[in-house]
Amino acid sequence: MNRSISRTIAFLGVFASMSATAITVDGNLADWGVNPHTWAPSAGVGSIIHSTIDDQIGSGNYRLGPGWGGQAYDAEALYATIAGNRLYIALATGHNPRTPNQPAANSYGVGDFAIDFGKDGSFEVGINIKHVVSANGGGYTYESFGVEGGVYQTVSPGNWAYGLWDVNGTYTNPSSGSYAPDTRHPTHLTGGTLLGLAQLAYTTTPAKGYGGSPNDDHYFYEIGVDLAYLTAAGWNRRDAFNIHWTENCANDSIVVDPPSLVSEPGTLALLGLSLLALVRRGRKKGGAS
């Protein structure tokens, strides 16, 4: 077998292993290959992973941009990959998922994940992080709309709540008649059409040993979403989109663009045809020698 055929087979093997790679949605970022010191994902985990890293360090109630809050509201890193027919998302943050939403006490709960087809500032899909849990036979929630892990088709701004900061990063009071939030940073869902449920896992026990301040507390989210839900919401499977997350105050926000979608069956078929052509060419050369 000649070298060109060997290389094609090797590439097919690598591509097949990448295509088969999936993330286990369990709140553990080990299968993303995340370096705990730099937050960077590993290129050797078998999937193309895009990331945005925005770890800010300091002490006390330092400014995050646009808001304040320090580590307790820091969005540290956001990851995305597409494997098979699923979009996978991972988030690292200093914000405790159990933070109560009590604005009067200057405490703001977690927000939802928002997806913007075309990256034009209009959010077509929301993934609900509602946090309904049992506690001594009862329960509590920080939002009134939807179900935990629900994937919703949305219209912005109408189906979204927003934070405390305007487009210039200046505080804007939600209870005032002059409230003018930055609509590029939706916080949580207030409405939408349920498309289905995502796989969802998040940690509530603080983890240390990560980022620029290893003694800080860190929390992790993982999500798996069927791409069929995105197409049902209007995605044409070609256009780029981004994923956004922030807390209910929008003190800090983070956005990532997933890798482009590869039509795996079609691509593998083309590679198979290329391999067949190389094999035939190799046989012809062998017969001529």
Side-chain angles (χ1 to χ4, degrees), residues 66 163-173 178-185:
L164 306 178
W165 314 95
D166 67 14
V167 293
N168 298 314
T170 303
Y171 174 75
T172 180
N173 189 341
S178 59
Y179 178 54
D182 186 349
T183 56
R184 295 173 301 176
H185 301 298

Side-chain angles (χ1 to χ4, degrees), residues 66 73 91 95 101 103 108-115 121 123 125-131 142-143 145 154-166 172 174 179 181-191 221 244-254:
Y73 290 88
L91 170 71
H95 186 263
N101 198 62
Y108 294 87
V110 67
D112 299 330
F113 289 79
I115 297 178
F123 295 88
V125 172
I127 304 168
N128 202 359
I129 313 298
K130 192 175 180 182
H131 291 335
Y142 303 138
E143 297 178 24
F145 173 79
T154 64
V155 177
S156 62
N159 291 148
W160 290 93
Y162 299 92
L164 306 178
W165 314 95
D166 67 14
T172 180
Y179 178 54
D182 186 349
T183 56
R184 295 173 301 176
H185 301 298
T187 56
H188 68 264
L189 289 161
T190 59
Y221 292 77
H244 174 280
W245 180 85
T246 187
E247 312 93 354
N248 282 331
C249 52
N251 279 5
D252 197 16
S253 62
I254 194 164

